[in-house]
Amino acid sequence: MKKLFTTVLFLVSCTFAYSQCTPDPQYTVGGIYPDSATGLSEAYVGQAYNQLITIVTPTDTTVSGSVLGLPSWTSFDIDIDSITLNAVTGLPPNFDYYCDPPSCGFIGGTSECAELYSLSVPTANQVGSYQIIFETTAYVSGITLIGDTTQNDVIDYYYLNVVNSTPVLDYLSKDKFQIN
């Protein structure tokens, strides 16, 4: 009985320890948000960091042949079965990520999410700019003459800046503040 109670307690604690994120519903077009133009929010020394990433996986898309090693003048309509996030590298020390779903496999036609977060508050030793690299594999089907295939991709346009200051509020009017 004691072993059963310990096992049940362990399973319940694992369930509550797993954090879940909720995709931002404002994004409905296939892509990763924040996008390359928006970028990741800054991390501040002495403050916990958490960045929601919304992944909207389309069900289909059109790609040029050059993506598949064929002449660039060719294009194909393909069905996206899923995209898997294989790895995230370049994170500052004591930073990590998780996906929802935990497998980091995003089915075509879904909106899912991932989060980057700090395991402990960033320190002054971590100040700097970190290039974050996401390695993915897309599983596609419906390609004329080829059939089903995979396509590996590297997303390397994100930078996470750890800064040694906190935002300062400037008074603009009696009802509005601006963050500098």
Side-chain angles (χ1 to χ4, degrees):
M1 184 67 176
K2 191 174 187 180
K3 286 183 181 181
L4 177 63
F5 177 74
T6 305
T7 303
V8 169
L9 183 61
F10 173 74
L11 292 174
V12 168
S13 66
C14 286
T15 301
F16 287 112
Y18 169 70
S19 298
Q20 292 184 355
C21 54
T22 303
D24 190 331
Q26 73 175 318
Y27 302 114
T28 56
V29 176
I32 301 171
Y33 305 95
D35 59 17
S36 61
T38 306
L40 301 174
S41 60
E42 291 184 328
Y44 295 99
V45 169
Q47 295 181 18
Y49 181 80
N50 190 321
Q51 172 73 60
L52 174 69
I53 299 173
T54 298
I55 300 105
V56 180
T57 307
T59 55
D60 57 17
T61 192
T62 301
V63 297
S64 70
S66 62
V67 172
L68 301 169
L70 298 171
S72 61
W73 51 265
T74 60
S75 65
F76 298 92
D77 292 328
I78 60 172
D79 296 325
I80 299 175
D81 297 321
S82 64
I83 296 175
T84 300
L85 176 61
N86 301 316
V88 177
T89 58
L91 290 168
N94 296 317
F95 278 62
D96 206 351
Y97 73 97
Y98 71 87
C99 302
D100 191 10
S103 66
C104 295
F106 308 105
I107 304 297
T110 64
S111 181
E112 305 290 350
C113 57
E115 283 195 65
L116 299 179
Y117 61 95
S118 58
L119 298 168
S120 58
V121 295
T123 65
N125 293 337
Q126 293 173 282
V127 169
S129 183
Y130 299 83
Q131 183 179 19
I132 310 301
I133 299 172
F134 298 90
E135 297 175 27
T136 65
T137 301
Y139 299 88
V140 299
S141 59
I143 302 173
T144 307
L145 302 176
I146 295 177
D148 300 348
T149 190
T150 61
Q151 175 71 41
N152 293 324
D153 193 21
V154 173
I155 301 164
D156 61 359
Y157 51 76
Y158 284 106
Y159 287 84
L160 175 56
N161 296 313
V162 177
V163 295
N164 198 11
S165 62
T166 56
V168 177
L169 294 177
D170 283 340
Y171 185 72
L172 296 176
S173 71
K174 71 179 192 176
D175 296 326
K176 298 182 181 184
F177 289 91
Q178 176 181 351
I179 297 178
N180 289 332

